[in-house]
Amino acid sequence: MSEILEIIGRELKTDAAGLTPETGLADIALWDSLKHMDLIAALEDRFGIEFTGDEIAEMLSVGKIVDTTTAHLARKG
Amino acid sequence: MEIAGKRAIVTGGAAGIGWAVAEQLLAGGAAVAVLDRDVEAVEALALPDGSFALCCDIADPGSVADAIATVAERFGHVDILVNNAGIMRSAPLVNMLRRGEERLHDLKLWQDVIAVNLTGTFDITRHVADLMLAKRTRGVIINISSIAARGNAGQTAYSAAKAGVEAMTQVWAKELGRFRIRAVAVAPGFMDTAGARDALEEAVLEKWREQVPLRRLGTADEVASAVLSAIGNDFLNGCVIALDGGLQL
């Protein structure tokens, strides 16, 4: 969980400590479609997982990102 | 990237440089989807099992969408896209041998060249890039540019289109690189191809030969070799490979 937040903070150039599950795309100035691609790639690279296109399009809040990533990691075992 | 076992699309692939690229990909063990708007040429192609040819006009968004849907269905994913389809038309910006409105560079000619060479390349690549991203394919996009991207007198539209293709190559290299998808442009110089012969007089071709330090024109096979080299080098990204016999030195 904390590592996911660290990656979000690093990729979106924001303080991870200030992130809440409700923090969304509209709350972070740098979080645009290109940064979203960077963020997804960073999570996939770090954890060795692959999100689906639908998941990527829905991962628009910190909570959703954490939940989706965690679910992948659980399935990966 | 190893060629063997990969799945490739070559646009404008039924003849000339496109076919030379397709042949070398097939020889390397890739399955190839040849896309071309020339119905007769497509029907005449004899491709090995696993490869196929489709009629596709890359200037027609519906035709492109249909073709990529078919390729996706048959291949499942695409590793290599070679954007070769293009047309070459020449006209001065102002033709001082004519009078009135006829002096001006024909607007339809401009639109046709841009529609195929620039918009067509953009259109098919957005579809294929989406497929590569969805399937997490570490693919490569090869754009056939031209020395004309630096500005060939008498080729405003073609030069602008190819300059645009090189710019798109750099954009895609940056945007897609994070997902290990590369984009490279190969820019042939003066080539001895059917397209060049159709578009230019022999006197022009002879003048070209004299300008090239190697004193000859390039061949379609040499362009294909450059394309395969770019595919094979996984650290090549966002660059333009000039294949011009030293013309720009």
Side-chain angles (χ1 to χ4, degrees):
Chain A
M1 164 89 171
S2 63
E3 191 169 6
I4 297 171
L5 294 177
E6 281 176 24
I7 292 171
I8 295 171
R10 185 180 70 233
E11 293 298 327
L12 301 181
K13 305 282 188 288
T14 190
D15 183 4
L19 296 173
T20 70
E22 290 74 32
T23 305
L25 188 143
D27 302 312
I28 299 176
L30 280 179
W31 195 350
D32 59 13
S33 57
L34 288 176
K35 275 293 170 195
H36 196 61
M37 289 175 72
D38 286 343
L39 174 57
I40 295 300
L43 290 166
E44 290 186 341
D45 286 349
R46 171 60 188 89
F47 298 115
I49 57 178
E50 285 187 4
F51 300 110
T52 67
D54 287 343
E55 286 173 334
I56 293 169
E58 291 168 3
M59 293 164 67
L60 302 180
S61 71
V62 169
K64 193 72 178 175
I65 290 170
V66 170
D67 290 347
T68 308
T69 305
T70 304
H72 270 274
L73 291 174
R75 284 199 294 274
K76 191 179 169 193
Chain B
M1 176 190 291
E2 292 286 335
I3 301 294
K6 296 300 188 296
R7 293 162 190 194
I9 296 173
V10 181
T11 69
I17 289 172
W19 176 240
V21 172
E23 274 192 309
Q24 290 196 20
L25 286 168
L26 290 167
V32 180
V34 173
L35 272 51
D36 203 294
R37 67 175 179 172
D38 185 334
V39 180
E40 289 183 5
V42 164
E43 290 177 347
L45 284 182
L47 295 168
D49 288 346
S51 295
F52 58 95
L54 291 173
C55 273
C56 175
D57 179 357
I58 66 161
D60 176 353
S63 177
V64 168
D66 289 346
I68 297 306
T70 301
V71 172
E73 186 180 343
R74 295 188 63 169
F75 275 171
H77 73 277
V78 174
D79 302 285
I80 301 162
L81 169 64
V82 180
N83 282 314
N84 166 75
I87 57 173
M88 183 191 289
R89 301 284 184 273
S90 301
L93 187 61
V94 177
N95 188 337
M96 300 187 75
L97 297 175
R98 294 184 179 169
R99 296 173 185 279
E101 281 290 311
E102 289 190 356
R103 288 164 66 96
L104 303 183
H105 187 299
D106 184 59
L107 189 58
K108 179 70 165 51
L109 184 152
W110 163 271
Q111 290 166 333
D112 288 348
V113 171
I114 296 296
V116 176
N117 295 16
L118 184 62
T119 309
T121 298
F122 159 77
D123 188 26
I124 195 164
T125 304
R126 66 188 180 128
H127 286 284
V128 174
D130 185 43
L131 186 59
M132 287 179 173
L133 286 167
K135 301 288 184 180
R136 291 297 186 281
T137 309
R138 296 185 173 192
V140 58
I141 298 158
I142 305 291
N143 293 325
I144 302 300
S145 179
S146 164
I147 191 175
R150 308 290 175 273
N152 271 3
Q155 292 187 327
T156 297
Y158 189 70
S159 297
K162 291 303 188 182
V165 164
E166 292 188 3
M168 292 195 297
T169 303
Q170 293 172 347
V171 171
W172 298 337
K174 291 177 181 174
E175 279 193 22
L176 305 174
R178 189 68 188 261
F179 290 91
R180 312 294 191 268
I181 297 171
R182 298 185 291 119
V184 176
V186 173
F190 297 151
M191 310 304 290
D192 190 354
T193 63
R197 288 181 176 277
D198 287 346
L200 302 160
E201 296 173 358
E202 175 56 30
V204 175
L205 296 175
E206 184 54 35
K207 187 180 173 187
W208 281 5
R209 288 187 195 96
E210 292 172 2
Q211 293 175 42
V212 181
L214 292 177
R215 294 293 188 272
R216 71 172 179 85
L217 307 182
T219 68
D221 279 341
E222 287 167 333
V223 177
S225 294
V227 168
L228 265 76
S229 176
I231 293 169
N233 191 324
D234 289 331
F235 204 55
L236 213 52
N237 192 31
C239 62
V240 179
I241 299 173
L243 191 75
D244 62 6
L247 181 68
Q248 295 178 89
L249 296 175

